[in-house]
Amino acid sequence: MQRLVCLVDISPHRLCRAVSTCGLPITQNPDTSLFASTRQIKELSKLGRVDEARQVFDYMIQRDTFAWNAMISGYAQNGLIDEARSLFDAFLGKDVRSWTALITGYARVGQVDEARQLFGQMPERNVVSWNAMISAYVDNGDIISARKLFDEMQERDVASWNSILRWYCHSFQMAEACDFFYQMKEKNLVTWSTMIAGYTNSSDYEKSWQLFCQMRRNLVLVDQFVLVVTLTALTNLNSPNLVESLHTLTIKTSFVRDVVVGTAFLNAYARNGLIDNVKKFFETMTDRNDFTWSTMISTFSQIGGIKEVIALYTKIPDKTVNCQTAMLTSYTQHGMVNEARDLFDEIRDPNMIAWNAMLTGYIQNGMVPEAWEFFRRMPCHNAVSWAAMISGFAQSGMNEEALKFVSELHRLEFLPSHSCITSAIFACTNISAFEMGRQIHAVAIKTAAAFNSFVGNALITMYAKCRKTEDVSQAFKTVRVKDVVSWNSLVAGLSLNYLLDDATNIFRKMPKRDVVSWTSIISAHVQGGHEDRALELFVEMLSTTTTPNSSTIASLLSACASMGSTKLGKQIHALAFKLGLNSVLFVANSLINMYFKCGCLDAFQIFDELFDRDIVTWNSVLSGAAQQGFGKEAVDIFEQMKAEGVSPNQASFVGLLCACSHAGMVEEGWNYFISMSRDYGLEPMELHYACIVDLLGRAGRLYEAEEFIENMPIEPDSVVFAALLAACRIHKNVDLGRKIAEKLFQIDSQNAGNYILLSNIYASLGMWKKVGEVRKLMKERGVTKEPGCSWIQMKNKLHTFVTGDKMHVQTEQMHSKLKELYCKLQATGYVPDTNFVLHDVEEEQKEYALLYHSEKLALAFGLLNTPNGAPLHIMKNLRICGDCHNFAKFVSDITSREIVIRDGNRFHHFHNGICSCRDYWLCVVQKREGKWFGSKQEVHSDLVYDDPFDSLCTQLCQGLHSLTHLYLKIFISSFYHVKGEPPKGSKSFTLP
């Protein structure tokens, strides 16, 4: 009676469960619906309708082991592990399948320890249960435990081997996977498919195709998956012939009618540029689904115009959401955002893909505010939505907003995608937000995203930008699949931190190099001042048949500019022309910069021929013209820039104010300085203030310049004071010069130029005791002055000279030539200006010292070794002295030659006795008896010797560089192939 009362108190559902756990009497007939109910439980569980499956289970009058296992598996498959465990514990007749189903469920939710504990409690095990536990370890990344369990197995089947193989392939350890693969005695289609997919995913497409061919030789039948994966490999191999051969195989195996395989072929043909094949194949397809039409729309959008895409869209019989989404994506790719939005509004029930497509369209077209508003209107967001907004903010320079979005994503406990993390790291890189970057790195580690190559590459770049070299190496080691981008990021990161030797060693270890790899290491050597080594690397690059890109050309032009090698620069210019890169604005700007730094006025021609110009173009011409001594021309260019509606930036005004200073345009320079903040809203920086000080100082308005410095709204730096000290040297103002020099010694006590300027002020006034005191002070402080030297390139060989040089093989001829010129010039009125010999020696010794200055020796050497009338290009590491400047003017007139001298600050173009600098920087040359050569020019003030300010306009390379004839020969023979047939894929042309 007590038992009956208990049963009455139990609910109907619990009563059914209690009764069903008991065994059926032998005399009871089994329910005919038992099999059907079990099958229904399985089907509902697969659809995720677990509650409905449980209702079917609860109302079953009779249950067998299959029904119990089906319900336990249903819970486990849908992540309801607690419910699965509760039912498992209630089941009295559990068998191996019951245990295995629960182990698989624990593995699915990441509870590997619980799965292992359950595995250890099993009364009996079969191969399936062992495989389930191995898969649990594999799926949760514990390959060591998986491999240990695999080795303990007494009996293995092909599924056991496939589980371990799958982990190796998914973790891109293809060498280990290959060894494991060839140890397998039995292989099935899954084995081959796993290996082929592994090679494809690790970008080793050739091995993927070779393995597919080996599979076919072993008479293994293909399926949909392996065909699609192999097609992906062939698509990336850019091999139309192999795609055609695989097409033949699919026809034989009847897979060509499979809509998924057919769509993969459409994509393969499109990616290989076989548009006719795409159209023909599409027309022969009997079955077409949403993905087929979407693929065709995407293909036509990439290769054709929008009209052709619209025509295709109109042919779709049933325009589903997927097709509409593909069409609106095509609209946004062609910049037709309004049309895309209209189409989006027509979608009755847009899915998440459609919402994200419209959001991405706004971002791709730079419409970030519209994207933000659209994001707010979205009914829900997924990882793609968040990643799109973070990427949009970061790419548009709104990095703080991007990081705020990352914080909000974290607050909502939303799991970020790899793309989201990559964009967040990119934002941190842009603003050097190291601490935030470290936090995002921690999130990447927790979500296992740090192993992803895109995330890893972004981390490498971020740590490099933040100067954390140890973290750079660690991030590189973390990346499991190190693609060429990973290696390139590491090389660039080390180069950015001035670890050039380490970067070169890494470059040599790279398993595969592309044009970006070569460009990175070439650029690193150029930036490190090793232009000769950069050219050697370029020659080596050409020997590998790697075609340079615009960045490579720009780096090489920078090297030529630093070396002052016009000849090699023109060769690189010809190469850019042949590759069609000369019209690229980035390259054109580099060409302008290179020609100006080489003292070649072809830069003006390149500028005039450009259809598109950006602010960098205008700034390059402004600073280049000022540097060449064309001050008034620079002002005209600035006015042209204004007339074309281009807004100048702060760099524009640096070049412009330097030009005004060099041309003696005081009022114009002052007005331009005022207009910076008044008309353009630009706050002047230290360089602009230094330009005004130089402008006033050169014009003799020293105390106005001093007052200007005292009233500056910012703290003056050493450049500003140096400009005023240089002006004091020009006008021989000892009192103010000493005062300014003392301030400079406090700010920058190791700058030799400041001591030299003060010493020159004393020397020009014959104050030799004071000169000695300055030199003594330099010695006490360990300050040394760079010795002056000049060099000239002759037949691809560099000849270097120092003052009084007697080591050169043509010393006697050069001295004789100088004496000959000296006599001719004296007859025409030239008198050596011994004021430029800043030493207390006799007048005759001064004249001797002046005659054998390094630039004069280089000039004599050039006259001796070049044909009459040929132009001469001479370089000097320090400022040219005033007497040598006058000497070069006279020589250019009597020899009818163009002489270009690049000193440590600017270029001087001498022609017919006139210099492009208009002598404004020189002293007021005392008028001498005799005639002037060329037109008389107004000169304003005294010599500025070793003026540190002029380098503001454009910093020129100082020091010697070697350029051997071998470089040019190898360069020509390797790439141009002047003689003989060029190898396949190379370029050839006639040398200019």
Side-chain angles (χ1 to χ4, degrees):
M1 187 66 183
Q2 185 178 1
R3 175 64 176 167
L4 180 60
V5 172
C6 292
L7 290 176
V8 171
D9 291 338
I10 299 174
S11 65
H13 288 307
R14 293 180 62 188
L15 178 61
C16 292
R17 294 182 191 178
V19 172
S20 64
T21 58
C22 303
L24 288 173
I26 299 175
T27 58
Q28 184 177 352
N29 294 325
D31 192 341
T32 56
S33 64
L34 180 61
F35 176 77
S37 297
T38 302
R39 184 175 62 182
Q40 191 176 9
I41 291 173
K42 291 180 179 179
E43 291 175 352
L44 289 170
S45 297
K46 287 181 180 179
L47 295 173
R49 296 156 62 180
V50 190
D51 290 339
E52 297 176 42
R54 181 57 190 261
Q55 288 180 6
V56 174
F57 179 80
D58 287 342
Y59 283 106
M60 290 178 68
I61 298 175
Q62 177 184 357
R63 305 188 190 101
D64 60 3
T65 303
F66 295 104
W68 280 91
N69 288 342
M71 196 62 243
I72 293 171
S73 296
Y75 277 133
Q77 289 170 3
N78 288 275
L80 301 172
I81 192 63
D82 292 336
E83 290 81 350
R85 182 59 188 259
S86 177
L87 200 62
F88 173 84
D89 292 339
F91 182 31
L92 301 179
K94 57 179 75 75
D95 60 3
V96 174
R97 290 189 178 183
S98 313
W99 291 84
T100 304
L102 192 60
I103 289 171
T104 304
Y106 276 124
R108 188 181 295 272
V109 296
Q111 298 182 26
V112 187
D113 293 338
E114 288 79 356
R116 185 68 177 90
Q117 184 179 5
L118 195 68
F119 180 78
Q121 295 172 359
M122 290 182 69
E124 59 174 328
R125 305 185 188 107
N126 60 11
V127 174
V128 177
S129 55
W130 281 88
N131 290 344
M133 193 62 234
I134 291 174
S135 295
Y137 281 130
V138 168
D139 292 340
N140 288 275
D142 190 354
I143 186 60
I144 296 176
S145 299
R147 186 60 190 266
K148 181 180 179 182
L149 202 64
F150 175 83
D151 294 336
E152 292 176 2
M153 290 182 69
Q154 299 295 324
E155 180 185 357
R156 305 186 188 107
D157 62 4
V158 67
S160 314
W161 290 83
N162 286 344
S163 295
I164 303 297
L165 183 68
R166 176 165 56 88
W167 190 91
Y168 282 132
C169 291
H170 284 187
S171 60
F172 304 104
Q173 299 185 41
M174 294 311 299
E176 292 81 355
C178 186
D179 292 339
F180 195 78
F181 174 78
Y182 285 109
Q183 292 175 25
M184 296 176 66
K185 296 180 180 180
E186 180 186 358
K187 303 178 180 72
N188 60 10
L189 179 58
V190 175
T191 311
W192 292 95
S193 300
T194 302
M195 281 297 293
I196 293 171
Y199 279 126
T200 300
N201 294 331
S202 60
S203 302
D204 198 342
Y205 307 115
E206 291 184 3
K207 286 187 178 179
S208 180
W209 171 247
Q210 291 170 4
L211 199 64
F212 176 81
C213 295
Q214 184 180 346
M215 182 187 81
R216 292 296 299 155
R217 287 193 294 270
N218 282 270
L219 303 178
V220 180
L221 297 178
V222 298
D223 67 353
Q224 181 195 78
F225 175 77
V226 76
L227 284 173
V228 172
V229 170
T230 306
L231 264 174
T232 303
L234 296 183
T235 301
N236 287 280
L237 278 175
N238 294 321
S239 178
N241 294 332
L242 293 180
V243 175
E244 288 283 2
S245 66
L246 192 60
H247 187 186
T248 304
L249 174 63
T250 56
I251 293 174
K252 293 179 180 179
T253 56
S254 299
F255 272 102
V256 71
R257 297 176 183 176
D258 185 280
V259 67
V260 176
V261 175
T263 306
F265 268 107
L266 285 179
N267 184 56
Y269 282 132
R271 290 278 299 276
N272 283 275
L274 303 174
I275 308 307
D276 293 336
N277 296 57
V278 173
K279 295 178 179 178
K280 290 179 182 179
F281 191 90
F282 179 73
E283 292 172 357
T284 60
M285 292 182 69
T286 55
D287 295 328
R288 298 168 182 170
N289 60 11
D290 287 355
F291 188 53
T292 308
W293 286 104
S294 300
T295 300
M296 285 300 295
I297 291 173
S298 300
T299 300
F300 276 52
S301 179
Q302 294 172 6
I303 64 176
I306 189 63
K307 292 183 179 179
E308 193 172 5
V309 179
I310 295 173
L312 177 67
Y313 179 72
T314 57
K315 295 179 181 179
I316 301 176
D318 183 17
K319 297 178 176 61
T320 61
V321 175
N322 292 335
C323 296
Q324 291 173 309
T325 302
M327 188 62 215
L328 75 85
T329 300
S330 181
Y331 275 133
T332 57
Q333 288 174 348
H334 287 81
M336 302 171 66
V337 185
N338 293 332
E339 290 79 358
R341 182 56 189 269
D342 292 339
L343 181 58
F344 176 82
D345 292 337
E346 292 176 7
I347 301 176
R348 293 182 180 179
D349 188 17
N351 55 22
M352 182 57 68
I353 297 175
W355 282 96
N356 287 335
M358 192 64 239
L359 178 68
T360 304
Y362 278 126
I363 291 172
Q364 288 176 343
N365 286 274
M367 303 170 67
V368 179
E370 291 82 355
W372 167 229
E373 183 63 30
F374 189 81
F375 180 86
R376 294 173 59 185
R377 288 188 56 243
M378 292 176 67
C380 59
H381 308 104
N382 63 4
V384 177
S385 316
W386 286 95
M389 281 307 304
I390 293 171
S391 175
F393 281 132
Q395 292 178 7
S396 61
M398 303 168 68
N399 301 291
E400 289 80 4
E401 287 78 1
L403 296 178
K404 288 179 182 177
F405 250 62
V406 175
S407 299
E408 179 67 13
L409 184 66
H410 184 69
R411 187 184 66 79
L412 294 174
E413 297 183 355
F414 207 103
L415 189 65
S417 65
H418 292 176
S419 176
C420 183
I421 293 175
T422 303
S423 298
I425 296 170
F426 177 71
C428 293
T429 303
N430 292 340
I431 57 176
S432 299
F434 172 67
E435 289 301 329
M436 185 67 173
R438 288 289 289 255
Q439 294 177 30
I440 295 173
H441 189 180
V443 173
I445 293 173
K446 291 178 181 178
T447 58
F451 301 112
N452 179 267
S453 58
F454 292 100
V455 175
N457 297 341
L459 285 170
I460 293 170
T461 303
M462 188 268 291
Y463 284 128
K465 180 79 178 292
C466 296
R467 310 293 182 185
K468 304 294 182 180
T469 54
E470 292 183 359
D471 293 318
V472 169
S473 302
Q474 187 60 38
F476 178 77
K477 293 176 182 178
T478 305
V479 180
R480 286 177 177 170
V481 182
K482 297 176 177 62
D483 56 13
V484 69
V485 179
S486 308
W487 288 92
N488 290 345
S489 300
L490 180 60
V491 171
L494 294 172
S495 302
L496 185 64
N497 287 276
Y498 309 107
L499 301 172
L500 189 55
D501 292 338
D502 294 333
T504 304
N505 292 334
I506 294 296
F507 174 79
R508 293 300 179 191
K509 293 178 182 178
M510 290 180 67
K512 184 179 180 181
R513 305 185 188 108
D514 60 6
V515 63
V516 178
S517 316
W518 287 100
T519 302
S520 296
I521 197 66
I522 289 172
S523 177
H525 280 83
V526 173
Q527 294 173 4
H530 302 281
E531 290 83 3
D532 50 352
R533 180 63 186 138
L535 291 169
E536 288 178 352
L537 286 166
F538 177 60
V539 172
E540 184 181 348
M541 169 187 168
L542 296 178
S543 67
T544 65
T545 68
T546 303
T547 303
N549 61 15
S550 57
S551 297
T552 318
I553 297 297
S555 295
L556 294 168
L557 290 172
S558 178
C560 296
S562 297
M563 299 173 71
S565 177
T566 310
K567 188 174 182 180
L568 184 56
K570 289 185 175 181
Q571 290 285 339
I572 303 298
H573 187 178
L575 171 60
F577 181 82
K578 283 296 177 180
L579 294 174
L581 300 174
N582 61 308
S583 58
V584 177
L585 189 57
F586 180 64
V587 175
N589 291 340
S590 298
L591 282 168
I592 292 172
N593 183 60
M594 182 273 295
Y595 278 122
F596 271 135
K597 284 194 173 183
C598 290
C600 182
L601 303 184
D602 290 353
F604 286 114
Q605 182 180 350
I606 295 174
F607 173 77
D608 292 335
E609 293 174 353
L610 279 178
F611 292 103
D612 295 322
R613 299 165 180 162
D614 61 5
I615 189 64
V616 177
T617 313
W618 290 99
N619 290 348
S620 297
V621 175
L622 280 173
S623 60
Q627 184 188 31
Q628 303 293 326
F630 300 109
K632 292 183 178 179
E633 289 80 356
V635 172
D636 293 339
I637 290 170
F638 183 80
E639 292 300 324
Q640 180 186 349
M641 176 181 175
K642 287 170 54 181
E644 294 188 14
V646 180
S647 297
N649 59 15
Q650 291 175 323
S652 311
F653 279 98
V654 171
L656 176 64
L657 295 176
C658 283
C660 291
S661 176
H662 296 163
M665 302 166 65
V666 180
E667 296 304 323
E668 293 87 342
W670 180 257
N671 290 333
Y672 281 129
F673 177 78
I674 297 299
S675 73
M676 277 188 67
S677 54
R678 182 189 63 199
D679 300 331
Y680 301 101
L682 299 173
E683 289 297 324
M685 301 171 65
E686 288 88 348
L687 293 180
H688 303 103
Y689 288 109
C691 288
I692 294 300
V693 172
D694 183 72
L695 181 73
L696 296 172
R698 288 178 187 271
R701 296 155 67 170
L702 299 178
Y703 292 101
E704 286 184 49
E706 183 185 21
E707 184 181 0
F708 178 79
I709 293 175
E710 292 175 353
N711 294 325
M712 282 173 54
I714 60 176
E715 189 70 23
D717 61 2
S718 59
V719 178
V720 175
F721 284 119
L724 183 55
L725 182 59
C728 293
R729 167 64 184 92
I730 293 172
H731 301 285
K732 302 180 181 179
N733 190 320
V734 177
D735 295 334
L736 183 58
R738 184 188 297 112
K739 178 181 175 182
I740 299 300
E742 289 175 356
K743 293 182 178 180
L744 277 170
F745 294 160
Q746 294 175 1
I747 298 174
D748 188 3
S749 62
Q750 295 301 306
N751 190 332
N754 300 328
Y755 294 91
I756 299 302
L757 281 171
L758 180 61
S759 175
N760 290 348
I761 295 175
Y762 291 140
S764 63
L765 296 172
M767 302 171 66
W768 302 113
K769 184 178 179 181
K770 292 291 184 181
V771 171
E773 291 176 1
V774 173
R775 291 177 179 171
K776 181 181 178 182
L777 183 62
M778 290 178 66
K779 187 175 181 180
E780 290 174 352
R781 296 182 177 179
V783 180
T784 58
K785 182 181 181 298
E786 181 182 1
C789 62
S790 302
W791 62 97
I792 184 171
Q793 186 176 320
M794 199 73 62
K795 295 181 180 179
N796 298 304
K797 212 174 168 186
L798 216 60
H799 299 265
T800 308
F801 306 93
V802 295
T803 300
D805 198 339
K806 296 182 180 180
M807 301 297 293
H808 199 277
V809 293
Q810 289 185 266
T811 297
E812 292 185 6
Q813 296 95 313
M814 290 187 294
H815 285 194
S816 177
K817 186 67 176 179
L818 285 174
K819 290 178 181 178
E820 176 189 337
L821 290 170
Y822 182 72
C823 294
K824 288 183 179 180
L825 297 179
Q826 279 188 321
T828 58
Y830 167 78
V831 175
D833 194 340
T834 56
N835 288 324
F836 295 107
V837 180
L838 303 175
H839 297 278
D840 187 16
V841 294
E842 296 296 329
E843 194 70 18
E844 184 178 349
Q845 290 178 282
K846 289 183 179 182
E847 289 189 14
Y848 180 85
L850 284 174
L851 185 60
Y852 300 120
H853 271 190
S854 63
E855 50 265 60
K856 289 191 178 80
L857 291 172
L859 179 57
F861 178 81
L863 293 172
L864 289 169
N865 293 277
T866 56
N868 291 331
L872 297 177
H873 287 258
I874 299 169
M875 289 164 279
K876 180 177 173 64
N877 65 328
L878 299 179
R879 187 64 175 270
I880 184 175
C881 101
D883 181 71
C884 290
H885 188 274
N886 291 333
F887 185 83
K889 286 200 302 182
F890 282 106
V891 172
S892 71
D893 187 71
I894 66 173
T895 61
S896 299
R897 291 201 189 214
E898 179 185 359
I899 301 172
V900 179
I901 297 180
R902 189 194 83 173
D903 66 13
N905 299 312
R906 66 156 64 82
F907 282 90
H908 301 270
H909 297 260
F910 301 97
H911 187 65
N912 293 332
I914 302 174
C915 179
S916 60
C917 75
R918 296 182 175 89
D919 296 345
Y920 180 69
W921 69 280
L922 286 171
C923 63
V924 178
V925 181
Q926 297 175 358
K927 191 164 186 178
R928 311 184 187 284
E929 295 181 0
K931 63 179 181 178
W932 291 92
F933 286 88
S935 59
K936 294 182 181 179
Q937 304 174 50
E938 182 183 1
V939 290
H940 302 274
S941 54
D942 201 356
L943 167 72
V944 183
Y945 181 72
D946 198 18
D947 184 350
F949 170 74
D950 285 330
S951 59
L952 289 175
C953 184
T954 301
Q955 182 64 41
L956 295 173
C957 177
Q958 296 186 359
L960 300 178
H961 301 277
S962 61
L963 176 64
T964 64
H965 185 56
L966 176 63
Y967 292 166
L968 196 56
K969 285 181 65 178
I970 298 178
F971 172 79
I972 294 171
S973 61
S974 296
F975 194 84
Y976 299 139
H977 303 286
V978 179
K979 296 181 180 179
E981 290 294 324
K984 185 177 180 181
S986 66
K987 309 290 181 181
S988 63
F989 68 99
T990 304
L991 285 173

